[in-house]
Amino acid sequence: MLDKKPTTIGRMFDRIAFRYDLINRVLSLCIDQTWRRITVRNLAVEPGDRVLDIATGTGDLALRVLQSEKTCRVVGIDLSQEMLAIASLKSVRRGFSDRSFFVNGDALLLPFHD
């Protein structure tokens, strides 16, 4: 039986974090990038908006949101510390670190106000 505890799931993703993006591209035949573009377009983020990316993983959706609107802010939350470390590194490399925040947490117990 699969252990569904958040800590167990987080550790599982920690183990694959360094190759997650490649696996995602290969298994989806790069469709993952297409659905992110469509998602961001449908979000219609406006100047100053704040966006919460739940289960952000390595931050690809969060970073695409930041790229789409130059004054928005994004918080990404995920169970995996390693995935969040990669997301943070990508954010720094792309110049978004002042508008992006990555938080270790559970989507079922969000540490945010409504």
Side-chain angles (χ1 to χ4, degrees):
M1 182 170 222
L2 180 64
D3 183 354
K4 296 181 183 178
K5 291 182 197 145
T7 53
T8 303
I9 294 169
R11 284 193 306 265
M12 177 186 69
F13 278 97
D14 283 344
R15 286 191 298 275
I16 66 166
F18 71 96
R19 62 180 174 256
Y20 180 80
D21 288 339
L22 175 62
I23 292 168
N24 208 9
R25 302 298 181 275
V26 170
L27 292 178
S28 75
L29 302 173
C30 293
I31 293 171
D32 65 304
Q33 294 181 347
T34 301
W35 73 254
R36 282 188 198 91
R37 266 194 311 277
I38 293 167
T39 299
V40 170
R41 186 173 50 237
N42 288 333
L43 278 175
V45 178
E46 296 185 6
D49 278 356
R50 294 180 297 170
V51 177
L52 176 60
D53 181 10
I54 298 173
T56 195
T58 62
D60 284 350
L61 180 61
L63 298 172
R64 192 169 285 278
V65 169
L66 290 164
Q67 186 177 12
S68 76
E69 207 301 304
K70 304 304 180 208
T71 64
C72 72
R73 293 178 175 261
V74 176
V75 173
I77 186 168
D78 201 277
L79 292 170
S80 169
Q81 289 279 24
E82 293 299 320
M83 298 280 250
L84 293 169
I86 292 168
S88 291
L89 182 59
K90 287 180 182 181
S91 179
V92 168
R93 286 181 178 165
R94 296 179 191 179
F96 298 139
S97 60
D98 61 327
R99 299 187 294 124
S100 62
F101 307 91
F102 295 99
V103 178
N104 184 240
D106 187 340
L108 299 177
L109 300 168
L110 292 174
F112 306 106
H113 296 289
D114 287 345

